[in-house]
């Protein structure tokens, strides 16, 4: 049902490195004059996503149209950070045409959707849709549940087995809250793998109406992404959550820290060390920026599991301090000192 007169908001959820920021960049590149305000929430204290979006030089993507919520996962900072931010956007002289919220890769989307029922917001904004971006390669590799059907069978056979890994629980939370699922990174899958992953997703989904779109680099038409008309804030019951029974969730299952480095003359050699760190420790994601001596451009490092990408994205600005910083995100218990030493090893 169209929510007449309300500003539509789209929540983009999905695990670490699934392709949420990539989706937002595509969305901005194809905004065609639509004034999109972004709220970016990121796990880890480096603000890489915002840096990547601001660095993309997309016309129409003004600095003050991008708001970063960096005090932890948005699901936990709704009252303190998120609501004042939304109110600030809708109270502008010229409010945005659409609000897009990129949740952190470790955030639960349902508490955020619930927040749109707050009186100050409900009459003016509607959740047009929750879009879950899934990393097809991670699903194929069993990061969330090895064999979905086998796990399901085990659970049915032994009800005590219902403790889920933090990754499984998070994956289900993000999936069950979605109005649309974008199966991303299909370039990394064979046709057979893609069919199996899609079948696993469909088996996990609670709502048969949820559309699954398979894609590469999160490319989905804005007309599809920004026009679901779901009014998700009025449809919470169809989005089951492990936390509906009121028990708190916390983010103690995950750790992150920032590693500051000197200028890096051999990024390829550093990448090898980063891959070794991912292999040796429970590291899920490493991303950040490097200062490469003699190069006028900033060097971006993007690691999702063992898969790394590096590229120069924009010139270092006049007066900007050139620095090398990486955020490391992983399962609880990361040994920061050992990991930092391994990354810095000459
Ligand atoms: N091969 C491949 N890589 C992709 C695809 N989509 C995104 N990537 C890469 O995956 C990495 C992570 O993408 P992001 O868009 O930053 O992922 P994200 O979900 O915003 O990550 P977090 O905010 O850290 O959770 C980047 O290096 C992307 O270029 C895809 O379809 N195929």
């Amino acid at each position: 049902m169209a929510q007449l007169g309300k500003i539509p908001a789209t929540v983009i959820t999905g695990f670490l490195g699934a392709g949420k920021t990539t989706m937002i960049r595509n969305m901005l590149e194809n905004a065609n004059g639509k004034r999109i305000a972004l709220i970016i929430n990121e796990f880890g204290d480096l603000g890489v996503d915002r840096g990547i979006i601001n660095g993309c030089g997309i016309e129409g993507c003004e600095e003050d149209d991008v708001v970063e919520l960096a005090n932890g996962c948005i699901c936990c900072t709704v009252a303190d950070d998120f609501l004042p931010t939304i109110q600030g956007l809708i109270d502008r002289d010229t409010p945005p045409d659409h609000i897009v919220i990129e949740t952190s890769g470790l955030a639960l989307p349902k508490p955020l959707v619930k927040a749109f029922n707050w009186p100050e917001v409900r009459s003016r904004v509607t959740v047009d849709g929750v879009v879950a971006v899934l990393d097809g390669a991670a699903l194929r590799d069993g990061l969330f549940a090895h064999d979905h059907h086998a796990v399901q069978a085990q659970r049915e056979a032994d009800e005590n087995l219902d403790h889920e890994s933090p990754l499984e629980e998070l994956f289900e939370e993000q999936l069950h809250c979605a109005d649309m699922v974008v199966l991303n990174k299909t370039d990394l899958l064979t046709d057979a793998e893609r069919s199996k992953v899609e079948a696993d997703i469909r088996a996990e989904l609670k709502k048969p109406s949820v559309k699954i779109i398979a894609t590469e680099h999160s490319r989905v038409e804005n007309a599809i992404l920004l026009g679901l008309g779901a009014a998700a804030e009025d449809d919470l019951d169809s989005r089951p959550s492990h936390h509906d029974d009121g028990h708190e969730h916390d983010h103690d299952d995950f750790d992150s820290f920032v590693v500051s480095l000197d200028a890096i003359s051999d990024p390829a050699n550093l990448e090898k060390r980063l891959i070794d760190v991912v292999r040796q420790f429970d590291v899920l994601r490493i991303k950040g920026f490097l200062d490469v001596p003699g190069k006028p451009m900033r060097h971006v490092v993007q690691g999702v599991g063992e898969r790394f990408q590096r590229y120069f994205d924009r010139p270092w600005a006049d007066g900007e301090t050139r620095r090398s910083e990486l955020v490391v995100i992983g399962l609880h218990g990361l040994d920061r000192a050992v990991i930092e030493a391994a990354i810095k090893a000459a």
Side-chain angles (χ1 to χ4, degrees):
M1 179 190 74
Q3 298 286 311
L4 296 181
K6 292 184 180 180
I7 298 171
T10 296
V11 175
I12 299 182
T13 184
F15 193 65
L16 293 169
K20 301 181 293 297
T21 305
T22 303
M23 174 174 278
I24 286 176
R25 287 187 53 172
N26 295 339
M27 204 183 271
L28 293 175
E29 281 165 2
N30 299 287
N32 298 329
K34 186 192 283 275
R35 286 174 300 113
I36 298 173
L38 290 178
I39 298 177
I40 298 179
N41 166 235
E42 196 174 348
F43 197 86
D45 306 329
L46 197 54
V48 176
D49 291 357
R50 175 174 185 160
I52 287 174
I53 286 173
N54 285 343
C56 63
I58 295 172
E59 197 182 315
C61 172
E62 310 307 331
E63 285 266 337
D64 65 357
D65 284 341
V66 182
V67 180
E68 186 179 21
L69 298 184
N71 290 334
C73 276
I74 203 166
C75 45
C76 303
T77 62
V78 161
D80 303 336
D81 286 5
F82 174 66
L83 283 167
T85 299
I86 278 279
Q87 279 173 295
L89 287 174
I90 59 183
D91 289 343
R92 282 182 174 178
D93 295 343
T94 46
D97 297 324
H98 206 110
I99 298 170
V100 173
I101 302 142
E102 178 187 355
T103 65
S104 107
L106 301 179
L108 308 181
K110 189 167 180 180
L112 176 62
V113 176
K114 277 183 184 168
F116 282 86
N117 280 305
W118 282 47
E120 307 90 312
V121 174
R122 179 173 175 76
S123 59
R124 302 181 57 197
V125 188
T126 178
V127 181
D128 182 70
V130 178
V131 177
V133 184
L134 305 186
D135 180 331
L139 282 168
R140 175 208 48 211
D141 299 341
L143 182 64
F144 304 106
H146 289 281
D147 178 326
H148 166 81
H149 300 289
V151 168
Q152 205 55 31
Q154 279 172 337
R155 279 198 200 134
E156 278 150 21
D158 169 0
E159 72 279 356
N160 299 321
L161 193 72
D162 204 24
H163 65 277
E164 288 171 318
S165 76
L167 296 183
E168 257 176 303
E169 182 176 318
L170 186 61
F171 171 69
E172 288 177 6
E173 293 280 334
Q174 293 172 346
L175 193 62
H176 294 163
C177 196
D179 296 290
M180 176 190 284
V181 169
V182 174
L183 171 57
N184 194 34
K185 307 198 183 184
T186 53
D187 54 305
L188 302 174
L189 303 177
T190 63
D191 289 348
E193 288 170 336
R194 174 179 147 174
S195 305
K196 180 175 182 316
V197 166
E198 280 197 48
D200 278 356
I201 294 168
R202 182 53 71 191
E204 184 59 51
L205 280 171
K206 302 291 184 198
K207 292 196 292 188
S209 61
V210 174
K211 198 176 169 108
I212 302 175
I213 295 185
T215 187
E216 295 178 21
H217 297 286
S218 304
R219 284 190 204 100
V220 181
E221 297 275 320
N222 282 5
I224 298 173
L225 280 178
L226 306 179
L228 294 171
E233 71 276 15
D234 295 333
D235 176 31
L236 291 166
D237 293 345
S238 75
R239 302 161 201 261
S241 160
H242 294 268
H243 304 284
D244 282 341
D245 53 10
H247 86 258
E248 275 307 297
H249 75 282
D250 51 38
H251 291 287
D252 291 348
D253 295 323
F254 302 96
D255 284 343
S256 82
F257 54 86
V258 175
V259 178
S260 295
L261 300 159
D262 296 330
I264 301 289
S265 53
D266 185 350
N269 197 24
L270 171 66
E271 179 179 323
K272 289 194 188 102
R273 295 203 297 276
L274 297 178
I275 293 171
D276 286 343
V277 158
V278 170
R279 286 181 177 148
Q280 287 178 56
F281 305 96
D282 284 328
V283 171
L284 297 165
R285 185 96 162 86
I286 299 179
K287 55 181 177 177
F289 305 108
L290 302 179
D291 164 16
V292 179
K295 300 290 184 187
M297 304 271 282
R298 179 177 75 169
H299 197 66
V300 179
V301 176
Q302 277 273 24
V304 182
E306 294 181 27
R307 190 174 298 109
F308 277 81
Q309 270 186 317
R310 288 181 293 105
Y311 55 91
F312 289 99
D313 73 330
R314 69 156 173 83
W316 292 101
D318 293 343
E320 179 181 10
T321 306
R322 293 172 64 120
R323 57 166 60 106
S324 300
E325 289 182 313
L326 298 172
V327 63
V328 177
I329 304 171
L331 293 177
H332 179 63
L334 289 180
D335 187 330
R336 172 172 188 163
V338 172
I339 290 172
E340 193 154 345
I343 290 174
K344 290 182 172 177

